[in-house]
């Protein structure tokens, strides 16, 4: 599933960044060498990161 249309970031990318230690959407995107553009994806990315942190 695509999380960020602007950057083409997929859910698996955000999950991998969260497993690597990213605790926010901005940190996850920086890990991927990108940044949020329009911001519509940030709430969804946050939820994915919360799920990954809860599972850890």
């Amino acid at each position: 599933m695509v999380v960020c249309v602007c950057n083409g970031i997929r859910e698996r990318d955000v999950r991998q960044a969260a497993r690597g230690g990213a605790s926010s959407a901005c940190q996850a995107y920086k890990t991927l060498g990108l940044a949020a553009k329009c911001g519509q994806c940030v709430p969804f990315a946050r939820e994915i990161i919360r799920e990954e942190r809860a599972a850890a």
Side-chain angles (χ1 to χ4, degrees):
M1 169 186 281
V2 175
V3 173
C4 176
V5 175
C6 298
N7 287 306
I9 299 173
R10 297 190 171 277
E11 181 178 350
R12 68 176 176 246
D13 300 325
V14 177
R15 289 190 185 281
Q16 184 176 17
R19 290 181 199 128
S23 59
S24 70
C26 289
Q27 286 179 351
Y29 290 7
K30 283 181 185 178
T31 299
L32 300 168
L34 302 165
K37 293 183 180 182
C38 73
Q40 290 184 343
C41 58
V42 172
F44 186 51
R46 284 181 185 146
E47 183 58 32
I48 293 169
I49 292 167
R50 272 189 228 123
E51 289 174 6
E52 286 299 319
R53 294 179 62 109

